[in-house]
């Protein structure tokens, strides 16, 4: 019965989102209602206002009117970010992946043995990304269970939707102490999952996280695949990021036909799997991703910063493989999904320069990757990704013409032009409010 659903907020103005048939729809002068449970109950043209008010029992005075040029976009989905690497974001991008891991990353991640250090950094990264419009983040933490549990607690407290992973790695350590035994890795993963699930955070879920093939023994990969399957859990890792890494995986697994084949063999490629990078995947490997329903997280800032490669997103889309965008902090130096949008466009343009007849991605397609695509990549499309009725209201209120803002709006601009300016030039100053599951989480509560 409709009358028992309490409407807690009604917004009237412009809504910009992606659908399956259109990379960007601009719904001007629309009216959207959110239930007590934080779900979108209706989204209709404003001509329906009187009918909606009667049907859902709200008054015209209950409506929040967006100001001139303001619009809502769906909350952005960062499909790959290392919360622990936020402490050195913006530094140390002067060497390729494997050297970078040993020189900067593993020594930095070791510090999270101390939960006080974790608490400081994790509060900062959750706030920074949330105020930049990331309503959902898929996080790598470190090998430390208690610090990783703290990340889940902090995301819940501040109000970000998150998948949180305790990193697993039992071989090839180069940094003394930053390694676990196989048994520790498996037992601590179980403890992490059961503790996090017991806490029943509404928007925070655990994700199985083998670091990548180079860091995991056969036994560890096998056990993690088994745990994921038995508990129907999400899975994340890295794949085919740079060519040196791909070569080493070939040598480690001479019987496997590809990097993808290794994860597939250990039941780590499922419809709840997201693999970061995939710059050097072959068409055959993309076919396996498609068959398994596994997804790719495209992290263009990281791929350029570490000179890893240029992912051909057009080819991934042709293979009907799910794909979203990731910041990959701190292989990527920006925490903002707007940066990921811009770097994804740059990458597509670099491929266009290299390849005659290449079909460059449009800014609208890349906007879809940052929102609906991300929701698909994290197997959360039923809950988030756009403003369809029945989904949670995860949204960013964008105010383009703020005083001293990062760009200017002129009288002759169309809404479409203003949205394009925001995507290319905007920043967190324009993101005046952020909502997760109907709750206003930016400005921050305290
Ligand atoms: N591969 C394995 N670990 C990492 C990491 O921390 N960052 C990136 N970019 N790639 C990885
Ligand atoms: Zn990564």
């Amino acid at each position: 019965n409709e009358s028992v659903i309490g409407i807690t907020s009604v917004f009237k103005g412009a809504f910009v989102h992606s659908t399956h048939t259109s990379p960007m729809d601009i719904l001007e002068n629309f009216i959207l209602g959110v239930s007590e449970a934080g779900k979108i109950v209706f989204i209709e043209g404003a001509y329906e206002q009187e009918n909606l008010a009667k049907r859902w029992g709200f008054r015209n005075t209950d409506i929040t009117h967006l100001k001139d040029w303001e619009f809502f976009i769906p909350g952005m989905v960062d499909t790959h970010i290392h919360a622990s690497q936020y402490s050195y974001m913006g530094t140390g991008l002067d060497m390729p992946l494997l050297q970078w891991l040993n020189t900067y990353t593993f020594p930095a991640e070791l510090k999270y043995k101390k939960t006080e250090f974790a608490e400081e950094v994790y509060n900062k990264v959750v706030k920074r990304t949330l105020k930049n419009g990331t309503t959902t983040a898929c996080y790598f933490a470190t090998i430390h269970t208690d610090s990783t549990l703290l990340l889940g607690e902090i995301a819940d407290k501040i109000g970000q939707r998150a998948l949180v992973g305790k990193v697993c790695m039992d071989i090839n350590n180069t940094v003394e102490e930053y390694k676990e035994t196989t048994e520790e890795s498996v037992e601590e993963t179980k403890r992490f999952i059961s503790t996090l699930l017991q806490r029943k955070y509404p928007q925070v879920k655990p994700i199985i996280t083998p670091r990548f093939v180079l860091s995991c023994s056969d036994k560890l990969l096998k056990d993690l695949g088994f745990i994921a399957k038995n508990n129907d859990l999400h899975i994340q890792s890295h794949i085919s990021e740079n060519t040196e890494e791909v070569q080493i995986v070939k040598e480690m697994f001479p019987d496997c036909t590809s990097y993808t084949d290794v994860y597939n063999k250990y039941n780590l490629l499922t419809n709840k799997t997201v693999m970061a990078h995939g710059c050097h995947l072959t068409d055959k490997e993309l076919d396996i991703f498609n068959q398994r329903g596994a997804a790719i997280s495209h992290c263009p800032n990281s791929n350029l910063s570490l000179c890893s490669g240029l992912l051909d997103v057009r080819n991934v889309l042709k293979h009907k493989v799910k794909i979203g965008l990731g910041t990959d902090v701190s292989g990527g130096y920006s925490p903002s999904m707007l940066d990921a949008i811009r770097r994804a466009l740059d990458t597509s343009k670099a491929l266009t320069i290299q390849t005659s007849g290449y079909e460059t991605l449009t800014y609208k397609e890349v906007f879809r990757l940052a929102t609906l695509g991300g929701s698909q990549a994290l197997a959360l499309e039923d809950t988030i990704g756009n403003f369809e009725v029945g989904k949670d209201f995860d949204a960013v209120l964008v105010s383009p013409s703020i005083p001293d803002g990062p760009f200017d709006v002129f009288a002759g601009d169309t809404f479409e032009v203003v949205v394009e300016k925001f995507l290319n030039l905007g920043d967190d100053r324009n993101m005046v409010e952020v909502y997760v599951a109907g709750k206003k989480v930016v400005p921050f509560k305290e």
Side-chain angles (χ1 to χ4, degrees):
N1 185 337
E2 289 168 353
S3 62
V4 296
I5 299 179
I7 300 289
T8 47
S9 20
V10 181
F11 298 100
K12 187 173 174 184
F15 299 84
V16 180
H17 75 161
S18 307
T19 65
H20 283 259
T21 49
S22 161
M24 182 183 285
D25 272 348
I26 303 181
L27 310 171
E28 279 184 71
N29 201 24
F30 266 56
I31 178 159
L32 178 148
V34 182
S35 71
E36 235 168 318
K39 293 194 183 300
I40 299 165
V41 180
F42 56 80
I43 176 162
E44 303 267 3
Y47 52 87
E48 281 292 322
Q49 188 169 319
E50 291 313 313
N51 288 337
L52 289 168
K54 237 180 257 158
R55 183 169 163 198
W56 298 103
F58 63 88
R59 292 158 301 179
N60 285 346
T61 50
D62 296 333
I63 300 175
T64 302
H65 294 262
L66 271 56
K67 299 192 200 103
D68 275 355
W69 297 119
E70 285 189 343
F71 58 91
F72 273 111
I73 60 169
M76 291 181 281
V77 181
D78 189 341
T79 58
H80 185 78
I81 170 165
H82 297 260
S84 52
Q85 295 172 18
Y86 182 72
S87 62
Y88 66 96
M89 185 177 70
T91 69
L93 296 167
D94 53 353
M95 51 182 82
L97 173 68
L98 300 180
Q99 293 80 336
W100 173 83
L101 285 171
N102 292 329
T103 308
Y104 302 110
T105 307
F106 296 154
E109 289 191 12
L110 180 59
K111 295 189 207 160
Y112 291 77
K113 200 173 171 181
K114 285 210 163 65
T115 52
E116 304 80 58
F117 182 68
E119 184 170 11
E120 183 193 354
V121 181
Y122 290 165
N123 265 298
K124 294 222 155 97
V125 69
V126 169
K127 285 188 168 172
R128 175 73 63 190
T129 53
L130 198 57
K131 82 192 196 79
N132 276 279
T134 300
T135 51
T136 300
C138 187
Y139 285 118
F140 272 60
T142 61
I143 65 173
H144 312 99
T145 305
D146 292 322
S147 289
T148 309
L149 285 167
L150 197 53
L151 175 57
E153 186 181 324
I154 288 166
D156 173 71
K157 180 189 73 189
I158 298 173
Q160 189 173 48
R161 191 184 298 278
L163 293 170
V164 176
K166 175 228 163 307
V167 176
C168 295
M169 41 195 292
D170 67 339
I171 56 168
N172 291 326
N173 71 313
T174 48
V175 172
E176 198 58 35
E177 282 191 85
Y178 198 54
K179 193 185 77 160
E180 342 164 81
T181 65
T182 311
E183 194 165 65
E184 275 166 357
S185 193
V186 171
E187 290 312 309
E188 286 298 296
T189 294
K190 288 180 183 164
R191 180 166 81 87
F192 170 69
I193 291 159
S194 62
T195 312
L196 194 74
L197 290 175
Q198 265 166 25
R199 294 185 182 175
K200 297 197 186 325
Y201 300 133
Q203 332 291 355
V204 177
K205 293 188 170 87
I207 179 165
I208 295 289
T209 306
R211 179 164 214 122
F212 66 158
V213 167
L214 271 62
S215 301
C216 301
S217 65
D218 293 23
K219 170 95 170 79
L220 181 56
L221 292 172
K222 189 172 157 201
D223 286 3
L224 293 178
F226 194 74
I227 295 170
K229 192 170 184 174
N230 277 347
N231 300 279
D232 188 27
L233 295 172
H234 282 82
I235 299 166
Q236 65 179 345
S237 192
H238 298 91
I239 195 166
S240 283
E241 182 174 357
N242 95 354
T243 50
E244 189 185 5
E245 171 204 9
V246 174
Q247 188 53 39
I248 294 171
V249 172
K250 262 196 193 134
E251 287 158 17
M252 287 170 77
F253 290 90
D255 295 340
C256 286
T257 55
S258 64
Y259 202 154
T260 303
D261 195 31
V262 178
Y263 287 129
N264 195 25
K265 179 175 151 187
Y266 292 108
N267 297 311
L268 291 164
L269 272 193
T270 73
N271 59 8
K272 289 171 91 171
T273 295
V274 59
M275 288 285 169
H277 308 298
C279 302
H280 306 283
L281 293 172
T282 63
D283 286 351
K284 265 196 185 142
E285 290 181 279
L286 289 173
D287 286 336
I288 302 176
F289 267 78
N290 167 287
Q291 285 156 18
R292 292 280 169 259
I296 290 171
S297 170
H298 176 36
C299 306
N301 189 317
S302 172
N303 294 337
L304 295 165
S305 293
L306 298 175
C307 300
S308 299
L310 302 173
L311 175 66
D312 184 346
V313 172
R314 183 65 69 202
N315 193 41
V316 175
L317 292 172
K318 278 190 186 135
H319 284 78
K320 301 208 179 320
V321 171
K322 298 187 294 184
I323 180 166
L325 297 183
T327 58
D328 195 27
V329 166
S330 290
Y333 60 75
S334 171
S336 167
M337 287 297 293
L338 289 177
D339 172 85
I341 285 173
R342 296 164 196 166
R343 298 289 88 79
L345 276 171
D346 290 349
T347 299
S348 189
K349 287 173 182 174
L351 288 168
T352 306
I353 294 167
Q354 281 184 2
T355 323
S356 85
Y358 192 81
E359 194 190 343
T360 320
L361 294 176
T362 66
Y363 80 88
K364 294 180 181 181
E365 287 180 297
V366 180
F367 169 76
R368 174 153 65 185
L369 295 181
T371 54
L372 187 61
S375 76
Q376 294 166 337
L378 300 184
L380 294 173
E381 196 191 353
D382 291 346
T383 314
I384 55 165
N386 62 14
F387 295 127
E388 266 170 36
V389 168
K391 291 194 184 187
D392 285 11
F393 185 65
D394 282 20
V396 180
L397 177 59
V398 177
S399 198
S401 54
I402 48 167
D404 298 321
F407 63 95
D408 293 301
V409 177
F410 298 99
D413 287 351
T414 61
F415 236 107
E416 187 165 321
V417 158
V418 174
V419 172
E420 186 178 3
K421 282 184 176 179
F422 166 69
L423 293 175
N424 278 318
L425 298 164
D427 63 34
D428 58 338
R429 284 170 289 177
N430 301 109
M431 305 190 197
V432 292
E433 291 176 1
V434 179
Y435 293 79
V436 173
K439 282 207 191 81
K440 197 192 285 183
V441 291
V442 172
F444 302 127
K445 277 173 266 177
E446 302 112 324

